[in-house]
Amino acid sequence: MKTFVRNSLSRMASQAAGKVSLFAWTMVLARQLNPEGFGAYVYIIAMAAMIGIISDYGLGNLTTREVARRPAEEGRYLLHTHLLRLVLASGAFALFIIAVAVLPGFRGVQPAAVILGITIFTVSVVNGFNAILNAREELQWSSFMTALVPLLTLASGAVFLRMGWGLAGAAAASVAAGAVVIAAETALFRSKGIHFSRPLDKDFIKHLVRKGFPFFLVSLLSALIVSLDSVLVETLRGKEAVGMYGASFKLILSLMILPSAIGDAAFPVWSRDSRENAAPKKLPLGRMLGTLFPAGASVAVILFLASGFLVPAVFGPKFIPAIPVLKVHAWALAFMYVSSPLMIRLMVTNRLRDIYVTFIVVAAVNTLLNLLVVPVYGPVGAAAVRVFTEALNFFMLMRCTVRSEKTAAPGSAPRKDARTGPGEAR
């Protein structure tokens, strides 16, 4: 418990620094680029996130779960997942370039989009290193590296924007920050004696591809749920509308520090504690949810009441139309705070099918409602859809978790999972 509390506090401190930096970067961008330019940035980021998830292929969650259970395998996972990530990132980048060339949303911003697309590589490599650190419960380091990206982006981006580079400068700042963090993590791993274990095992790569696919579905559907509404708002109402929506949603995401920190700290603990066909006993889920739900609801109320002051203070008077968007968006936090640990709980107990069935339903509902609502109500309607789909996501995950906890009783038949690979004892 002491380790969990220390990791949670460390994660919260680092995430707070990262969120503050990201928040400041968002504020600088919004003021420098105006609503339409900021909307273009939000659209590019959303598309890069959806396509870039291919480069992760669920390897981050798979690596954290498996290395937490078998620490001696960390070098093997480090080598093979990084090689696989580079191959997948190359394919994702090619797909992104095609999207930039053919989709009307990229019209007029193609150079900046191509530059920002390079972050598909940098983000994937950073995540690969962080997955090992999370498995070792060295969250202070993974959190620091994660926070360093927006901090460096802010520092270099402010310079590039002052030089008049505009949207292309913002994209270049993201690439430069990722490259510096990759160098820092490489040095960190050398100092800790964590090396790429050789030789290369083609069978193990096949094992990763097979076992990573369910995690990939979870990650892909999660990225769609987070990013697709921004793409739809741009497609249906234009860049200025998605600028208003994106400003509000960036504020929402910046307030997810507590559930993210607790979930990240719980992941390796629950992974080691779920070796048998039983739910983890450490870190009771009910107590965690009992803390997170009132916290999320309180933040939602405060954000709702402060939105009239907060939006113009942060983004400037040009973003005043985003105030009603934030007033609606705020209520999504109450559900977002409690959904994160539920997903992690299902993941460590190998209930991935429950997660991606839930996400398929939520993504489909999100898309359908946005297509119906956004043409009429614009970004405010999209925010209302977000609240509804986050509530749906929570209730479906909760139902799956309750069912899982009841059926995963000690003494049941062993669960079929991803703990064994080629060449390992079975």
Side-chain angles (χ1 to χ4, degrees), residues 137-362:
E137 291 194 65
E138 296 185 15
L139 272 69
Q140 72 278 13
W141 283 114
S142 62
S143 300
F144 173 74
M145 295 300 177
T146 301
L148 196 57
V149 174
L151 181 61
L152 292 174
T153 301
L154 172 63
S156 57
V159 174
F160 294 160
L161 289 173
R162 186 176 293 274
M163 294 170 63
W165 291 9
L167 191 58
S174 297
V175 175
V180 171
V181 172
I182 288 173
E185 294 212 274
T186 301
L188 174 66
F189 271 56
R190 286 179 179 174
S191 70
K192 289 181 171 293
I194 308 173
H195 304 291
F196 292 91
S197 178
R198 293 176 174 80
L200 183 65
D201 186 344
K202 294 181 179 179
D203 289 334
F204 190 64
I205 290 180
K206 293 178 182 178
H207 165 75
L208 291 175
V209 171
R210 185 176 68 254
K211 294 299 184 182
F213 185 70
F215 288 93
F216 169 62
L217 286 179
V218 170
S219 299
L220 177 62
L221 291 166
S222 178
L224 287 174
I225 292 170
V226 170
S227 302
L228 189 58
D229 43 5
S230 295
V231 174
L232 290 173
V233 172
E234 194 283 335
T235 303
L236 298 170
R237 294 295 291 262
K239 287 185 173 60
E240 184 171 344
V242 77
M244 299 301 170
Y245 181 84
S248 173
F249 197 45
K250 293 288 185 183
L251 281 173
I252 295 296
L253 294 179
S254 70
L255 296 171
M256 286 292 291
I257 297 171
L258 180 62
S260 296
I262 290 178
D264 289 343
F267 196 173
V269 176
W270 280 345
S271 292
R272 282 193 297 273
D273 198 36
S274 62
R275 288 179 179 273
E276 302 300 331
N277 189 34
K281 299 299 183 185
K282 295 181 180 178
L283 309 179
L285 179 62
R287 186 181 303 173
M288 192 177 294
L289 295 179
T291 300
L292 288 175
F293 182 76
S298 299
V299 174
V301 171
I302 294 171
L303 193 60
F304 174 82
L305 296 175
S307 56
F309 161 78
L310 198 57
V311 169
V314 173
F315 300 110
K318 292 182 180 180
F319 283 83
I320 286 177
I323 292 174
V325 182
L326 184 59
K327 283 184 176 293
V328 177
H329 247 154
W331 303 108
L333 282 169
F335 303 105
M336 293 170 71
Y337 262 54
V338 285
S339 294
S340 179
L342 293 176
M343 186 184 74
I344 292 172
R345 188 76 164 194
L346 290 169
M347 195 176 295
V348 298
T349 53
N350 209 42
R351 301 284 180 167
L352 297 177
R353 182 173 298 178
D354 288 337
I355 299 175
Y356 56 73
V357 167
T358 297
F359 282 5
I360 287 172
V361 173
V362 171

